[in-house]
Amino acid sequence: MPAVSKGDGMRGLAVFISDIRNCKSKEAEIKRINKELANIRSKFKGDKALDGYSKKKYVCKLLFIFLLGHDIDFGHMEAVNLLSSNKYTEKQIGYLFISVLVNSNSELIRLINNAIKNDLASRNPTFMCLALHCIANVGSREMGEAFAADIPRILVAGDSMDSVKQSAALCLLRLYKASPDLVPMGEWTARVVHLLNDQHMGVVTAAVSLITCLCKKNPDDFKTCISLAVSRLSRIVSSASTDLQDYTYYFVPAPWLSVKLLRLLQSYPPPEDAAVKGRLVECLETVLNKAQEPPKSKKVQHSNAKNAILFETISLIIHYDSEPNLLVRACNQLGQFLQHRETNLRYLALESMCTLASSEFSHEAVKTHIDTVINALKTERDVSVRQRAADLLYAMCDRSNAKQIVSEMLRYLETADYAIREEIVLKVAILAEKYAVDYSWYVDTILNLIRIAGDYVSEEVWYRVLQIVTNRDDVQGYAAKTVFEALQAPACHENMVKVGGYILGEFGNLIAGDPRSSPPVQFSLLHSKFHLCSVATRALLLSTYIKFINLFPETKATIQGVLRAGSQLRNADVELQQRAVEYLTLSSVASTDVLATVLEEMPPFPERESSILAKLKRKKGPGAASALDDSRRDTSNNDINGGVEPTPSTSTPSPSADLLGLRAAPPPAAPPVPVGGNLLVDVFSDGPNAQPSLGPTPEEAFLSPGPEDIGPPIPEADELLNKFVCKNSGVLFENQLLQIGVKSEFRQNLGRMYLFYGNKTSVQFQSFSPTVVHPGDLQTHILCSWP
């Protein structure tokens, strides 16, 4: 565009700006501005017509006043009149005023559109560029509707100058982002793609920006751009800095265009044409090779431009994820940046390596830098870099290095910034669960997590450890012992009390044989924390106390004394008061068998996705799902660490063993039936998938007598019928040989009853068949029966 000559200088504007700068106070500035506004208003309303120079000068003053923060409510019409001038400087000021001060809903938009239409039809490239800039700056829907069809035509016209094409492409991009439905997709789309072959690099740069945006919605319409983009990128990468002198930035040829082309290629999968793909791979290798060359300049601008192309190249290699050699080379190149003195490069290298770690081709290469990443986690001053280092450790973790990474993250957690502690807690919990070799290590890790950063351990974390301990018989005793020892610390976090209360209430009997963890000691230890906890934790401890009465009858009197205390029965919190009253009544009124039924062990939790992993996905956002879902590794052990919990194969026998599963949730899929085993198929189970229940476990087989030792019915058998006064299901009859359960359902005048037979021996019944007898006239009321 032509430069403003000295004759176009506006002395009045310069004097006004000088006066404003020389004002000693805000009041003096406002006084001078009000004086000038009054003068301009009188000039605009005067009888004497103003020439173009005067209009331009006064409109410039209004623009300056607006930039100082004052409202301008006049002068818009004079600015519109400047658009009809044939002088560039006057037209330029008019468009500038409109772009800055005219609202997209202004009543003057129609007049402005007419002036823009005239300039677009003038074929004067300078005026056309001014008009296109104004459309892009205002970007209103009304302007889009008026010019959306004209701008593509100008863009692909053969007689349009390069500067006009460049402005038209950027203007169309602005309109498309504001109102995608206004930009028609027609025959011009194919011609836009061919702009990638234009001789003018500015046109190519603008066209790449437009195509990158358009192809996201209509990728098939612009698929032909792949070969052209590769061809243009190849010419740039292989050229010397002297070949593109006008577009070389500190010895780097066309860095911005190269970055845009690489981003465009990331919108599509790898090229199907072998020749195009081969040429692209050569380009990527050339970029990686140039990164190893000594710099041609020590200026930071040179390294910034060079690294911008390199990181975008690595992003494209990661996007394709199909060239093992390139992926490993990219990983090695990023590894060099991990110790670079520039903080931004270290940050970008860690961020890119997080994505590389999810590729099966480069995961092992990423793992070789584990010591450098751990050192960055410990020594980096910038918290954002430390956070990326933690993300990379999480991404590179697998079964071979899980213990090392988890221990380092736990060690870092003690001094970590408060802003990222919760996220690190979630990651440690997920890694400990996913890659646990044995669950005793998992329990130790989670308890350490609570000890170090208890305030940041969310409910999902300690809920999850309770689910796993409940579902794994082989870790219940160890968990009870470990949490008992953890509760003995003088300062104990409330989350530790919650975990301890639940685990000891369920499995405290497994460590009760040790005098150091006898039932009274367990109760005293928990109750010593009671008055220091919140209402929710105290409610959980009250539930633990009533569980203790079932597990340890010798503590009944002590616990009833605590429940009977006035501080509980008359507690201000209704939840605590209700629990205390109900638990005290239950322990006083219920028989031993009823108490054992009501307070028996919790059943295994159903299979579902880890709630910790789901929370981390929500915290990191949708874009992080692919980085978190790395189930491609260690698939051979998913039955142990796959995020869903297996059903335990054995269980500790309770005082009232329930072989029929009437008191527990239906178990998940059972393993293959062993030879000589006994199965009782629960075809009427409430669960969605009825499964057969297992025969006696090794512990139950050891405690049960042999088939030749058939004893009389157990003494409580006569009392079992009393249960059905208030229950629809339960054990109807039981002796050393057989267990008979009943389950009934009633709806209005209809009822249905099922009988279940459980074999309590270790041998299979022979010729076993039940007989249904219908006393009296009951036969006429039974709709159907199955023997």
Side-chain angles (χ1 to χ4, degrees):
M1 295 181 182
V4 179
S5 64
K6 292 184 178 180
D8 293 324
M10 293 171 282
R11 185 173 178 277
L13 175 64
V15 171
F16 173 64
I17 293 175
S18 177
D19 292 345
I20 293 296
R21 289 177 175 174
N22 293 331
C23 290
K24 302 297 183 181
S25 64
K26 187 69 175 177
E27 291 76 13
E29 176 184 312
I30 294 175
K31 183 177 180 181
R32 179 68 180 89
I33 288 174
N34 288 335
K35 178 181 178 182
E36 190 64 35
L37 287 175
N39 177 56
I40 295 173
R41 196 185 300 269
S42 65
K43 294 292 184 181
F44 284 166
K45 290 185 177 180
D47 297 333
K48 185 179 179 181
L50 296 176
D51 57 7
Y53 171 81
S54 299
K55 287 182 182 179
K56 177 183 69 172
K57 179 178 65 174
Y58 294 134
V59 167
C60 277
K61 289 183 178 181
L62 292 177
L63 262 175
F64 181 73
I65 294 171
F66 175 78
L67 295 178
L68 291 175
H70 300 270
D71 293 333
I72 301 297
D73 55 1
F74 69 98
H76 299 75
M77 196 63 203
E78 284 69 19
V80 173
N81 291 336
L82 286 176
L83 300 183
S84 59
S85 173
N86 288 325
K87 289 186 176 182
Y88 168 76
T89 55
E90 295 176 5
K91 190 183 289 289
Q92 180 194 36
I93 296 301
Y95 276 123
L96 180 61
F97 185 94
I98 290 168
S99 299
V100 174
L101 277 102
V102 172
N103 188 284
S104 60
N105 299 320
S106 172
E107 297 177 354
L108 298 174
I109 287 292
R110 190 162 296 177
L111 293 175
I112 297 170
N113 286 350
N114 289 333
I116 291 175
K117 189 170 293 186
N118 292 333
D119 285 335
L120 291 179
S122 68
R123 311 310 298 173
N124 184 322
T126 304
F127 293 172
M128 292 177 72
C129 288
L130 285 175
L132 291 169
H133 295 168
C134 181
I135 296 172
N137 287 330
V138 176
S140 66
R141 186 171 182 86
E142 187 172 348
M143 275 192 176
E145 292 174 348
F147 303 109
D150 297 333
I151 298 174
R153 177 180 49 80
I154 296 173
L155 176 61
V156 299
D159 57 346
S160 295
M161 293 187 64
D162 293 334
S163 59
V164 176
K165 289 182 180 180
Q166 190 172 351
S167 299
L170 296 177
C171 180
L172 191 61
L173 174 62
R174 171 68 173 86
L175 292 181
Y176 182 80
K177 288 182 176 180
S179 303
D181 56 304
L182 294 182
V183 179
M185 293 294 172
E187 59 181 12
W188 62 272
T189 55
R191 300 177 65 182
V192 167
V193 172
H194 288 284
L195 290 177
L196 297 180
N197 277 333
D198 198 277
Q199 297 298 319
H200 192 275
M201 299 293 283
V203 174
V204 178
T205 304
V208 172
S209 299
L210 176 62
I211 295 171
T212 302
C213 185
L214 293 176
C215 71
K216 292 178 180 179
K217 186 176 181 181
N218 304 283
D220 293 337
D221 294 345
F222 298 92
K223 198 171 183 179
T224 55
C225 72
I226 298 176
S227 59
L228 297 178
V230 171
S231 175
R232 174 64 73 170
L233 180 65
S234 177
R235 278 179 278 169
I236 296 174
V237 169
S238 60
S239 64
S241 57
T242 56
D243 297 338
L244 300 170
Q245 292 183 357
D246 293 340
Y247 287 88
T248 296
Y249 180 78
Y250 286 88
F251 303 101
V252 181
W256 286 275
L257 178 55
S258 300
V259 168
K260 288 178 181 290
L261 288 170
L262 290 166
R263 287 183 181 173
L264 173 60
L265 292 173
Q266 292 177 47
S267 302
Y268 292 94
E272 298 176 358
D273 189 335
V276 175
K277 185 175 181 180
R279 192 173 185 183
L280 178 58
V281 170
E282 290 179 6
C283 292
L284 301 179
E285 290 178 342
T286 302
V287 174
L288 294 177
N289 291 334
K290 285 187 176 181
Q292 301 294 332
E293 298 175 358
K296 297 180 180 179
S297 172
K298 294 183 178 180
K299 297 286 186 70
V300 67
Q301 292 90 340
H302 171 74
S303 60
N304 285 345
K306 189 176 177 181
N307 291 330
I309 299 174
L310 175 62
F311 276 102
E312 209 60 51
T313 300
I314 293 174
S315 296
L316 181 60
I317 294 172
I318 295 172
H319 170 73
Y320 285 164
D321 195 20
S322 60
E323 297 293 332
N325 181 46
L326 290 178
L327 286 166
V328 173
R329 287 193 60 186
C331 180
N332 295 334
Q333 181 64 49
L334 292 173
Q336 298 177 15
F337 287 138
L338 293 180
Q339 296 178 319
H340 199 277
R341 60 184 179 86
E342 179 62 38
T343 304
N344 290 334
L345 285 180
R346 296 197 302 273
Y347 178 93
L348 291 173
L350 290 167
E351 188 176 45
S352 298
M353 289 186 78
C354 284
T355 312
L356 274 175
S358 62
S359 172
E360 61 179 337
F361 301 116
S362 56
H363 179 71
E364 292 300 323
V366 173
K367 285 169 56 179
T368 60
H369 302 284
I370 183 171
D371 294 333
T372 306
V373 179
I374 290 174
N375 184 61
L377 187 66
K378 295 177 180 178
T379 60
E380 279 289 348
R381 295 182 179 180
D382 193 319
V383 60
S384 62
V385 180
R386 293 198 299 272
Q387 186 170 5
R388 292 287 82 78
D391 290 342
L392 179 53
L393 285 175
Y394 175 80
M396 71 167 62
C397 185
D398 59 18
R399 201 169 305 282
S400 65
N401 56 17
K403 287 192 175 182
Q404 179 187 4
I405 289 178
V406 169
S407 64
E408 291 293 344
M409 294 181 78
L410 279 174
R411 193 174 295 113
Y412 168 67
L413 193 56
E414 297 181 4
T415 57
D417 297 83
Y418 296 110
I420 63 174
R421 283 195 176 188
E422 183 180 2
E423 185 176 327
I424 293 180
V425 166
L426 291 174
K427 289 178 176 177
V428 170
I430 292 171
L431 295 179
E433 176 187 345
K434 188 173 183 61
Y435 300 115
V437 178
D438 60 86
Y439 276 98
S440 58
W441 174 75
Y442 169 74
V443 171
D444 289 339
T445 300
I446 299 299
L447 294 184
N448 279 334
L449 202 60
I450 297 174
R451 178 183 58 81
I452 295 171
D455 291 336
Y456 299 90
V457 176
S458 60
E459 290 183 343
E460 288 84 356
V461 174
W462 67 269
Y463 283 177
R464 188 62 177 164
V465 71
L466 296 182
Q467 292 174 11
I468 291 176
V469 171
T470 302
N471 287 17
R472 302 289 307 184
D473 285 7
D474 54 348
V475 78
Q476 290 168 359
Y478 181 82
K481 178 177 179 294
T482 307
V483 78
F484 176 79
E485 295 173 352
L487 287 173
Q488 293 177 346
C492 189
H493 195 273
E494 187 169 337
N495 282 335
M496 186 73 77
V497 178
K498 293 177 181 177
V499 175
Y502 183 95
I503 291 179
L504 292 180
E506 291 293 324
F507 315 112
N509 60 313
L510 301 179
I511 61 171
D514 190 339
R516 293 171 296 180
S517 57
S518 62
V521 175
Q522 292 186 39
F523 171 73
S524 299
L525 181 60
L526 283 176
H527 196 56
S528 65
K529 317 289 183 182
F530 184 87
H531 301 287
L532 305 175
C533 299
S534 64
V535 171
T537 306
R538 280 186 278 169
L540 185 148
L541 289 178
L542 289 179
S543 299
T544 301
Y545 296 166
I546 192 65
K547 289 263 188 178
F548 273 11
I549 294 179
N550 177 45
L551 292 176
F552 316 120
E554 63 269 26
T555 62
K556 181 175 181 179
T558 306
I559 293 175
Q560 283 183 335
V562 171
L563 296 175
R564 197 177 285 114
S567 59
Q568 304 302 333
L569 296 180
R570 292 188 293 273
N571 197 296
D573 187 85
V574 65
E575 176 67 23
L576 294 180
Q577 184 186 105
Q578 181 177 355
R579 290 196 183 212
V581 171
E582 291 181 355
Y583 291 162
L584 179 61
T585 306
L586 179 64
S587 64
S588 303
V589 175
S591 65
T592 304
D593 188 62
V594 171
L595 200 63
T597 302
V598 174
L599 301 175
E600 66 178 346
E601 291 180 8
M602 289 291 291
F605 289 89
E607 295 182 358
R608 57 172 174 254
E609 181 190 30
S610 172
S611 57
I612 312 174
L613 183 60
K615 180 172 183 177
L616 184 59
K617 287 180 180 179
R618 293 194 301 269
K619 189 176 182 66
K620 298 294 285 184
S626 60
L628 299 178
D629 295 333
D630 51 356
S631 57
R632 52 176 180 73
R633 303 193 298 271
D634 300 303
T635 55
S636 59
N637 291 299
N638 281 345
D639 58 328
I640 297 178
N641 307 294
V644 292
E645 286 307 313
T647 304
S649 58
T650 61
S651 60
T652 305
S654 62
S656 58
D658 183 13
L659 301 180
L660 297 172
L662 295 173
R663 300 171 189 155
V673 182
V675 178
N678 299 300
L679 291 177
L680 177 66
V681 180
D682 182 6
V683 295
F684 305 111
S685 171
D686 289 330
N689 297 315
Q691 300 291 346
S693 107
L694 288 174
T697 63
E699 293 87 349
E700 292 165 344
F702 175 76
L703 295 173
S704 300
E708 70 281 359
D709 183 16
I710 301 174
I714 55 178
E716 298 86 2
D718 293 335
E719 299 177 5
L720 294 177
L721 288 173
N722 298 332
K723 291 183 181 181
F724 298 97
V725 175
C726 57
K727 292 177 64 177
N728 290 332
S729 61
V731 178
L732 180 64
F733 172 85
E734 185 176 14
N735 63 10
Q736 304 297 341
L737 175 67
L738 182 69
Q739 184 185 63
I740 303 177
V742 64
K743 181 177 179 181
S744 53
E745 299 175 359
F746 300 98
R747 295 180 183 175
Q748 297 180 358
N749 64 325
L750 299 177
R752 185 165 52 180
M753 183 178 293
Y754 314 111
L755 291 176
F756 307 91
Y757 300 87
N759 181 4
K760 297 185 68 175
T761 70
S762 59
V763 298
Q764 188 172 0
F765 282 168
Q766 300 292 333
S767 303
F768 179 87
S769 62
T771 303
V772 180
V773 180
H774 311 114
D777 58 350
L778 186 62
Q779 175 67 42
T780 59
H781 299 284
I782 294 180
L783 300 180
C784 60
S785 64
W786 293 271

